[in-house]
Amino acid sequence: MIGRLSLGDVALRLALPDDREAARRMPLPAVQLDCGADPVMDVHPNSYEDAILECTVSNPTSASEVIEVSKVEWDGVNVEMTLSEDEFTLAAGDEETFNVIFTGQTRLPASLTYGFELEAKVTSWNGLPYGQLPDGPWVVNQSYSGDFSIASYGMIELLMSDKTTREMTVAEEVDFTFQFTNKGNDDDKIRVTIANEADLAAAGFSFPTGAFVAEDVPYQGTSSLRTLTVRSPAELTADIRLPVIFQAESTVDPDAPASEITVQLNVVCLLYTSDAADD
């Protein structure tokens, strides 16, 4: 009388003669799929790069396998997801790496994020195609889920309609009105400072409204009209000619180049001697 076969006996009978001992050690089809950190794409117009996720598919069994990897989920818009390879023939215990490549375009907004899922599936084990393996929970497929995102970058443009030289006398105030545009790919708190504040202060200038302003500017937006005021020295013994440098900087991307505007300040010293006054 033939008794009931265990799962291990079934696997052993499916194995080729030379692989029977291997089948005893690891009789079930299986696959492992591991990937690195979630991909982040650099879309800056001067440094765009495809985002690449490196994954490893492994055969943990003691028989050869053919494994297919496929995209189960991807709904990215303006970004394409491709696999460098999608089928692997692995000997017992072997592994192989492949890349998941995300291709897009420059200037995509940082608000775009997409989930994705990969599946590794055993299509042949020990020379037997998937369709010839008996039904049951013993053909192991493994999936990997992750999130794709876009790196933020800052790009600022400082705008000032009147950049002409300011002719001033002592203790005179002059207003500088400007705006700044967020040309980066994310909301940004933009800060405008008088970059040479220390030099001007050392020469006797002051800043009644402060030496900086800051404003939250949405993606692709422009700030409200802002003003900074410069007051010339109250006392002078000679004329002064110095620039005032306005500098706009991104806070979402500290490495982004600043946008600068320079305006010349000419302060005339009016000195009268007592003899000149008597005349």
Side-chain angles (χ1 to χ4, degrees):
M1 185 173 79
I2 300 176
R4 296 179 62 186
L5 296 177
S6 68
L7 191 59
D9 292 332
V10 172
L12 184 58
R13 293 194 177 192
L14 288 172
L16 297 176
D18 293 342
D19 292 330
R20 288 185 178 181
E21 182 59 30
R24 286 193 184 97
R25 293 195 301 270
M26 178 62 78
L28 303 181
V31 61
Q32 292 178 348
L33 177 62
D34 298 297
C35 296
D38 282 345
V40 179
M41 179 180 285
D42 179 358
V43 297
H44 193 287
N46 296 331
S47 58
Y48 169 85
E49 288 186 352
D50 291 345
I52 297 178
L53 173 65
E54 185 175 281
C55 299
T56 302
V57 61
S58 306
N59 172 10
T61 77
S62 296
S64 64
E65 290 184 328
V66 177
I67 298 168
E68 288 185 358
V69 178
S70 60
K71 296 181 289 183
V72 177
E73 177 190 346
W74 175 250
D75 57 358
V77 178
N78 297 322
V79 179
E80 182 181 0
M81 173 182 171
T82 57
L83 306 179
S84 61
E85 295 180 71
D86 59 10
E87 183 175 273
F88 307 87
T89 300
L90 299 179
D94 278 359
E95 65 180 28
E96 192 167 334
T97 61
F98 66 96
N99 291 329
V100 184
I101 304 166
F102 299 85
T103 304
Q105 58 192 36
T106 62
R107 302 182 186 273
L108 289 174
S111 58
L112 292 180
T113 58
Y114 303 113
F116 65 91
E117 184 177 356
L118 304 173
E119 182 183 59
K121 178 179 180 180
V122 178
T123 59
S124 175
W125 179 76
N126 206 30
L128 292 174
Y130 175 80
Q132 296 183 21
L133 296 174
D135 293 336
W138 64 315
V139 176
V140 177
N141 301 331
Q142 188 170 12
S143 63
Y144 178 89
S145 298
D147 293 299
F148 166 86
S149 60
I150 293 175
S152 298
Y153 70 85
M155 186 177 291
I156 311 300
E157 183 179 13
L158 182 60
L159 307 168
M160 183 181 293
S161 58
D162 185 3
K163 293 179 278 189
T164 59
T165 298
R166 302 303 201 270
E167 302 291 345
M168 307 174 68
T169 59
V170 293
E172 182 180 356
E173 293 184 2
V174 60
D175 293 335
F176 294 89
T177 301
F178 50 86
Q179 288 180 289
F180 32 97
T181 298
N182 178 4
K183 293 190 171 184
N185 72 334
D186 201 353
D187 297 342
D188 201 349
K189 186 169 188 175
I190 299 172
R191 179 182 171 98
V192 177
T193 61
I194 296 177
N196 62 334
E197 174 190 1
D199 292 340
L200 291 171
F205 289 87
S206 57
F207 314 97
T209 60
F212 78 93
V213 296
E215 185 173 327
D216 292 315
V217 183
Y219 165 64
Q220 297 295 293
T222 299
S223 73
S224 58
L225 284 171
R226 305 302 298 263
T227 299
L228 286 173
T229 302
V230 177
R231 188 175 190 272
S232 60
E235 296 180 358
L236 285 179
T237 58
D239 294 350
I240 295 180
R241 290 175 175 80
L242 284 175
V244 55
I245 303 171
F246 299 92
Q247 187 175 82
E249 295 178 294
S250 165
T251 57
V252 76
D253 180 8
D255 295 327
S259 178
E260 290 188 356
I261 290 176
T262 300
V263 179
Q264 185 69 28
L265 302 177
N266 291 343
V267 185
V268 178
C269 173
L270 299 176
L271 291 179
Y272 297 93
T273 66
S274 58
D275 291 341
D278 293 338
D279 293 341

